[in-house]
Amino acid sequence: MGTVVALESLLAAQTLWHAGRGAVAPADSESTGHAALDRLLPQGGWPRGALTELLLPADGVGEIGLLMPTLARLSQGDGMVVLIAPPYLPYAPAWQGGGVDLGRLHLVEAAPRDALWAFEQCLRSGACAAVIGWPGNADGRALRRLQVAADSGDCLGFALRDRRHAVNASPAALRLEYVPGRERPGAWHVRKCRGGHPPAQAFAWIGH
């Protein structure tokens, strides 16, 4: 019950965000903040109104750092950034140091059973610029609902999941998999992208 109340209060706090402020990307995308990655993606950035999957070998490989430029830019405008039941308590000074306005960063605590519902509601609401969730056990039907919700809310949705799900089909508009390197730093490989074929080149970004 507490999750429902907190979520209703969060969505009541803001009802509209103005897309595209500060972004250097087409109207249907939002710049990733990494020029090399923007060049790889057919839409020139994160697809807006869509779900993006980040497939990870483990937590903490740089996934939040990858998103940080976008989240910072959105929060400094009119955007609200929401974290749905993160596996670790966010370290506020690090987010602030990354440029995120903490006044526009919101955390929704929820049990696994409620987290998918909260994720979907935030995406659909039209009140959020970006929503990040960790739907580890979501099936194809649940992911499809998240994709539709992101489209309805014109929101950036990010689903952080174990890379073992890479072998499964997904309705997400964009899928990036982090592949650790042996002698070289790891890299993000585009496994699926709306609007074109996945590029053969990987995005080797070593920030954490």
Side-chain angles (χ1 to χ4, degrees):
M1 189 67 178
T3 299
V4 176
V5 173
L7 185 57
E8 288 178 348
S9 299
L10 170 64
L11 299 183
Q14 183 175 335
T15 57
L16 181 68
W17 71 282
H18 301 284
R21 291 193 177 181
V24 183
D28 59 350
S29 68
E30 191 76 40
S31 173
T32 67
H34 308 283
L37 181 55
D38 285 348
R39 287 194 295 269
L40 283 180
L41 300 176
Q43 291 178 293
W46 305 120
R48 185 179 295 127
L51 184 69
T52 292
E53 273 189 274
L54 300 183
L55 301 163
L56 316 171
D59 294 326
V61 297
E63 62 272 21
I64 298 300
L66 181 72
L67 301 178
M68 193 65 77
T70 302
L71 303 181
R73 184 176 65 250
L74 294 175
S75 73
Q76 291 168 6
D78 295 324
M80 183 160 59
V81 176
V82 184
L83 309 180
I84 306 293
Y88 306 101
L89 184 65
Y91 184 57
W95 286 77
Q96 189 172 36
V100 173
D101 181 349
L102 297 184
R104 294 189 176 273
L105 177 65
H106 300 272
L107 172 64
V108 175
E109 297 182 350
R113 177 183 299 180
D114 300 322
L116 270 174
W117 177 86
F119 197 177
E120 181 181 347
Q121 297 307 308
C122 285
L123 288 171
R124 191 183 302 278
S125 68
C128 306
V131 183
I132 305 172
W134 288 257
N137 296 320
D139 58 16
R141 182 178 179 182
L143 292 174
R144 193 171 299 108
R145 290 181 64 89
L146 294 176
Q147 167 60 38
V148 172
D151 182 43
S152 299
D154 194 26
C155 181
L156 297 181
F158 296 100
L160 279 53
R161 311 183 75 211
D162 191 287
R163 64 181 292 191
R164 71 176 185 275
H165 296 294
V167 299
N168 301 324
S170 171
L174 176 63
R175 304 184 87 191
L176 271 63
E177 179 185 0
Y178 184 84
V179 179
R182 294 184 178 179
E183 298 180 357
R184 298 181 178 180
W188 293 94
H189 294 254
V190 180
R191 298 305 188 195
K192 174 187 175 182
C193 54
R194 183 171 64 186
H197 297 291
Q201 182 182 355
F203 174 55
W205 178 70
I206 58 176
H208 284 269

